[in-house]
Amino acid sequence: MENDVATLLSRHTEALALFSDRVHAVRQEQWDDPTPCTEWSVRDLVNHLTAEQLWVPHLVVEEADLDEVGEAYDGDVLGAHPRRSWDAAARAAREAFAEPGALERTVRLSYGETPAVAYCAQMTTDAVVHSWDLSRAIGAPEQLPDALVAFALDEVSPYASELEASGLFAPPIEPPPAHSHQARLLALLGRRA
């Protein structure tokens, strides 16, 4: 278990670093550009992931529930300095998950009580997939690190068929012939590589 936790924390750190790299590559004129996420601009996408990171310390460290945090992170959380806002939120999330005993806790999410270790895995996968979205939107290299792709594919495969019903994901698509693991991951989440 200790090795699994170390691997998870390593993947989480790598995923945040990958997304950070892309955030810092956004040119000033690209913040309003579209992304593969329907109806989201580059700024909307970065704002979404930043807000997700801001929740982590409350849910994991403080063991708060959604009602206690309320609407604190609804709307724009990037302000005038999107990169700095992302960096601070990512650092706080990384530190929260890495706190001793944090991944042994249970968090209260919108769909019920969830082991913190599962929450961290979901957050890692989200950062991996959205790194691809952001890469495509800004013209950055789209090839994701193999270890992160494998992690995300293992994480999402068991419940991929249920994601469309949530209304937050596009329907899965058929991956291209001779598909790579990355193409398969993206196809499961309704994205064309």
Side-chain angles (χ1 to χ4, degrees), residues 67-107:
D67 291 336
E68 291 174 285
V69 181
E71 299 174 358
Y73 304 120
D74 289 357
D76 178 51
V77 296
L78 296 179
H81 305 285
R83 291 177 192 86
R84 275 193 254 163
S85 298
W86 160 256
D87 290 343
R91 183 174 45 257
R94 187 177 58 252
E95 290 171 359
F97 280 127
E99 183 178 279
L103 293 180
E104 297 167 16
R105 299 179 186 139
T106 298
V107 295

Side-chain angles (χ1 to χ4, degrees), residues 7-96:
T7 300
L8 174 57
L9 289 174
S10 178
R11 294 293 171 262
H12 180 255
T13 297
E14 292 163 13
L16 291 180
L18 179 65
F19 194 78
S20 293
D21 180 66
R22 299 311 189 262
V23 170
H24 284 269
V26 176
R27 295 188 311 272
Q28 197 56 41
E29 70 274 11
Q30 292 180 310
W31 288 103
D32 292 325
D33 287 357
T35 70
C37 301
T38 320
E39 300 177 14
W40 276 357
S41 67
V42 167
R43 185 180 175 93
D44 295 332
L45 175 61
V46 174
N47 189 73
H48 163 72
L49 229 68
T50 303
E52 280 194 342
Q53 307 317 306
L54 290 170
W55 277 91
V56 175
H58 297 291
L59 299 177
V60 175
V61 177
E62 298 169 14
E63 299 183 68
D65 63 29
L66 301 182
D67 291 336
E68 291 174 285
V69 181
E71 299 174 358
Y73 304 120
D74 289 357
D76 178 51
V77 296
L78 296 179
H81 305 285
R83 291 177 192 86
R84 275 193 254 163
S85 298
W86 160 256
D87 290 343
R91 183 174 45 257
R94 187 177 58 252
E95 290 171 359

Side-chain angles (χ1 to χ4, degrees), residues 153-171:
L153 191 55
D154 286 348
E155 169 63 23
V156 81
S157 291
Y159 56 83
S161 61
E162 303 163 21
L163 293 175
E164 181 187 0
S166 72
L168 301 173
F169 293 87

